[in-house]
Amino acid sequence: MRGKLYRQDRILPEETTVLCITGNGLKTTDVLTNQFEEEAPIAPKLAEFERYLQQTLDVAEVATAIGA
């Protein structure tokens, strides 16, 4: 597709191109079956997410992820 857009001069190689992917991948999870360890679900609360980050990432990564 990109080659076709280049040939048509619709995008130029020196330009920055931004893509907006509108799908969320929930319909195609079957391709990931048995590829990764299944994570335990967390409650949909910010505090739970931050606790999960602290348990799984090192301190510097957590600070960066939560903007501290």
Side-chain angles (χ1 to χ4, degrees):
M1 181 63 140
R2 183 181 66 188
K4 180 179 179 180
L5 295 175
Y6 283 152
R7 287 190 301 278
Q8 294 174 346
D9 288 329
R10 294 178 66 191
I11 59 173
L12 302 174
E14 65 273 6
E15 292 181 330
T16 299
T17 303
V18 178
L19 300 175
C20 179
I21 307 217
T22 59
N24 60 16
L26 293 176
K27 296 178 287 219
T28 57
T29 57
D30 55 318
V31 299
L32 300 175
T33 301
N34 299 321
Q35 298 296 314
F36 300 96
E37 261 185 58
E38 188 172 328
E39 293 286 337
I42 63 171
K45 305 283 184 204
L46 181 58
E48 291 295 316
F49 176 69
E50 289 175 347
R51 185 176 300 117
Y52 170 80
L53 285 179
Q54 290 173 347
Q55 292 172 351
T56 58
L57 303 175
D58 67 38
V59 175
E61 289 174 320
V62 172
T64 300
I66 62 173

